[in-house]
Each structure stands twice: as structure tokens, then as C-alpha cells.
């Protein structure tokens, strides 16, 4: 049976008026990244079928409906660069002039998110579920050094911190501005079935971490943990983004082949070429988000390993 067209609410589980934690999954804020929504539906189907003892609420939302329907990243822009406190305040007050598809999506998504968060009766955790096009291991992105960093670091996949110093307006910013923890998860390649598995594992472990469901009630906690630890093996647990290579229009930036997320590069190593010549790594570090396709403002980022406590 073909999948029905995506709706804003993928599904919800748990008593909306009852006590307990709230886990909110935001799926497909980039429309070419459907794996998070597939994983959320899988977890909801398990909850409906297994009916484990459950306290709290799980809400799964689609991020960019119009783009998800077209299976493309965005329509007129990037829905994940618009969540500055000023824009969000203007949207809530109804004073933001909506100019493009992403403005309309953002207004709708914000309304549904605000309603879900207003109903929270306990601790909250946001999950912002992504995938990527290049090869490379999954990784978590988080802003804060709070309990979500400890939870994320326990998962065994590398955790990126301080990306917000270079990329503003992601949906992580909305939660941070509200004082709420959130994890971004880049779970694997867009079309890899393992990406759905990784997202589903994260959602289940998050539900258990917040106490919505007992660990013993999970289908297989050990398998979920093993899946994530396996992909993070040999990689640092926490890396801090320290360098961004910005692009200028018409600088002819071309990444050299063979790089992907979380490859270690050495200072002086040739990474790319542009009209000024060879672009070399300014320092040793873990390479992130090398730009191979499409337009962008960022050629690549570099990160250094950081102690978990420090
Ligand atoms: Zn994305």
C-alpha cells in the first residue's frame, strides 16, 4: 500500500493530561529526510501493539510538510535556519510577514509545537531527526552542557557541541530559548534502512531515559545501544566545532573527493580548491559537513575532541 501523504501530526501516545515526561520528535524539517518519520511511526506502532506501562507523552511531528511531499530539502529556503528568538516572537505575535513556503511551514509547526510544550507535565526532551547524503557515521548535535549532553554521550555516537556558534537559527535554538533540552540526530544516509533503525533506537532510549517507559519494557535495549555504539566505535565522544570555512559567491569552491563526516584531517592537508588555489586544513581536527553538492554557505567545519566533563 502506498504511504499516505504526510500530515503535521505523525502520532502521539500517552495521556495528554497525565503527569510524566514529554518527548517530542521533530521529523523531516528537511523534506528529503523522511527516515525520522518512518522511525517515529515504528515506535508508535510498537507502543500501540505492546502497550507497555507508560507515563508521560510521546509526540511525533512532521517538520516541513510541503517539502516532505516533494521529497526535497526545502521549497524556497531552509526551514532549519529560521528559529531565532526574534523571528519566533514575531511569529507568535502574528507580526511576521510570511514571504515564502518556509515561513508558512514555520508558523504551523511553531503553533503545534507550542501547544505540545504547553501541555508538558514533567521534563521535556526534543529530538530533531535528520539524515545526510554523504557517507559517514551518525552523530548527535546539542547546544547545552546539561543532562542531555550526558545522555547523548552515553549513546556512543559522537556528539557535536558549539555548532550554534557557526550556524544560527536551527530548531535547537527554539528549545534552548525556552530552556528545554533537545538533541539533533544525524542518523545516517537518507535512504539507508539503518538510518531508520538508528532513529528508532534513539527515540526508544530517550523514552526510557526520561522514564516514560521502563527500560525492561523496551523491545531490546541492548540491541538499541549496541547499534549506536557500533557506529561510533573509534570516534571521539564529544567534539567541539572550532572552525568554519565560509564560502563566498563565485569562489568556485570544490571539495576534493574522499572526505566525509568525522574524518580526521591534519593541519595543512589539501581539502578543497577554489579560485584562490588550494584550501588546506588550518589545523588538525575532525572534518564535518564537507560540501559536495548543491549551494551552501559553508564549505566544511572542523572540530576538536573535548572532554565530557570540563
Ligand atoms: Zn537535515
Amino acid at each position: 500500500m502506498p504511504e499516505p501523504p504526510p500530515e503535521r501530526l505523525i502520532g502521539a501516545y500517552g495521556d495528554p493530561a497525565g503527569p510524566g515526561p514529554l518527548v517530542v520528535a521533530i521529523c523531516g524539517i528537511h523534506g528529503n529526510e523522511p527516515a525520522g518519520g518512518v522511525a517515529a511511526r515504528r515506535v508508535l506502532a510498537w507502543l500501540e501493539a505492546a502497550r507497555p506501562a507508560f507515563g508521560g507523552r510521546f509526540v511525533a511531528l512532521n517538520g516541513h510538510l510541503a517539502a516532505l511531499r516533494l521529497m526535497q530539502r526545502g521549497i524556497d529556503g531552509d526551514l532549519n535556519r529560521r528559529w531565532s528568538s526574534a523571528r519566533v516572537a514575531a511569529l507568535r505575535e502574528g507580526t511576521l510577514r510570511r514571504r515564502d513556503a518556509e515561513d508558512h511551514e514555520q508558523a504551523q509547526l511553531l503553533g503545534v509545537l507550542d501547544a505540545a510544550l504547553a501541555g508538558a507535565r514533567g521534563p521535556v526532551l526534543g529530538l530533531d531527526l535528520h539524515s545526510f547524503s554523504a557517507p559517514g557515521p551518525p552523530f548527535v548535535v546539542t547546544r547545552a552542557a546539561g543532562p542531555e549532553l550526558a545522555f547523548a554521550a552515553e549513546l556512543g555516537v559522537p556528539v557535536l557541541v558549539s555548532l550554534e556558534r557557526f550556524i544560527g537559527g536551527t530548531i535547537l535554538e527554539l528549545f534552548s530559548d525556552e530552556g528545554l533540552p533537545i538533541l539533533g540526530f544525524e542518523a545516517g544516509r537518507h535512504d539507508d534502512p539503518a538510518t531508520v533503525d538508528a532513529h528508532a533506537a534513539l527515540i526508544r532510549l530517550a523514552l526510557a531515559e526520561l522514564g516514560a517507559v521502563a527500560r525492561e519494557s523496551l523491545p531490546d535495549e541492548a540491541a538499541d545501544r549496541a547499534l549506536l555504539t557500533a557506529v561510533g566505535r573509534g570516534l571521539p565522544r564529544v567534539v567541539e566545532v572550532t572552525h568554519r570555512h565560509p564560502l563566498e559567491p563565485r569562489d568556485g569552491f570544490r571539495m576534493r573527493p574522499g572526505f566525509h563526516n568525522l574524518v580526521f584531517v591534519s593541519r595543512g592537508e589539501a581539502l578543497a580548491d577554489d579560485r584562490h588555489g588550494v584550501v588546506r586544513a588550518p589545523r588538525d581536527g575532525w572534518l564535518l559537513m564537507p560540501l559536495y553538492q548543491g549551494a551552501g554557505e559553508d564549505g566544511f567545519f572542523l572540530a576538536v575532541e573535548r572532554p565530557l566533563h570540563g
Side-chain angles (χ1 to χ4, degrees):
M1 214 164 62
E3 294 257 326
E7 302 297 333
R8 183 69 61 198
L9 178 68
I10 295 171
Y13 190 84
D15 179 3
L22 169 68
V23 174
V24 183
I26 301 149
C27 309
I29 202 165
H30 294 134
N32 60 336
E33 302 175 9
V38 178
R41 282 197 296 278
R42 186 186 290 177
V43 173
L44 286 161
W46 160 64
L47 289 168
E48 296 286 355
R51 297 260 154 197
F54 193 92
R57 191 147 169 84
F58 172 51
V59 177
L61 302 174
N62 272 318
H64 199 321
L65 275 185
L68 278 161
R69 287 173 181 149
L70 295 170
M71 281 291 282
Q72 61 188 47
R73 183 177 171 88
I75 305 291
D76 301 310
D78 189 336
L79 184 55
N80 203 26
R81 294 287 185 279
R82 298 177 178 222
W83 300 90
S84 69
S85 53
R87 274 185 59 94
V88 167
L91 273 169
R92 284 177 177 149
E93 288 158 13
T95 55
L96 186 98
R97 245 190 77 206
R98 298 185 203 173
R99 295 169 192 277
D100 62 12
E102 276 69 28
D103 286 346
H104 288 279
E105 289 285 338
Q106 188 182 17
Q108 280 186 19
L109 179 56
L110 179 63
V112 179
L113 265 174
D114 276 346
L117 296 174
R121 302 282 179 268
V124 173
L125 178 64
L127 302 174
D128 171 31
L129 305 181
H130 292 260
S131 55
F132 45 76
S133 55
F139 58 94
V140 166
V141 181
T142 189
R143 280 171 61 97
E148 68 271 37
L149 176 58
F151 167 61
E154 279 292 301
L155 293 170
V157 297
V159 181
L160 254 70
V161 297
S162 301
L163 184 61
E164 75 275 7
R165 280 168 43 202
F166 302 96
I167 295 180
T170 71
I171 200 156
L172 305 191
E173 197 163 322
L174 172 74
F175 277 66
S176 299
D177 287 345
E178 304 290 327
L180 299 173
I182 182 167
L183 303 177
F185 188 32
E186 297 278 356
R189 294 182 65 132
H190 298 320
D191 53 356
D192 186 346
T195 305
V196 177
D197 297 340
H199 276 317
L202 175 76
I203 296 170
R204 285 188 293 262
L205 293 172
L207 290 172
E209 175 73 15
L210 269 80
V213 65
R215 295 183 186 284
E216 309 82 71
S217 302
L218 295 180
D220 194 341
E221 188 196 0
D224 284 344
R225 293 209 172 273
L227 176 86
L228 297 176
T229 351
V231 292
R233 194 156 291 143
L235 294 168
R237 289 176 82 184
V238 182
V239 293
E240 180 175 353
V241 183
T242 54
H243 175 82
R244 165 182 177 254
H245 181 80
L247 300 188
E248 283 143 30
R250 295 180 296 281
D251 68 0
F253 178 88
R254 274 172 296 106
M255 198 74 207
R256 293 201 172 180
F259 292 105
H260 60 71
N261 276 322
L262 291 155
V263 163
F264 193 82
V265 298
S266 303
R267 183 190 160 129
E269 191 172 340
L271 303 180
D273 301 274
D274 65 17
R275 68 187 174 88
H276 305 293
V278 180
V279 179
R280 296 180 186 279
R283 66 194 72 174
D284 292 359
W286 299 90
L287 185 75
L288 291 161
M289 288 168 266
L291 184 77
Y292 278 108
Q293 51 194 30
E297 295 165 5
D298 316 308
F300 58 85
F301 296 83
L302 290 176
V304 296
E305 187 162 6
R306 209 196 84 157
L308 178 54
H309 308 284

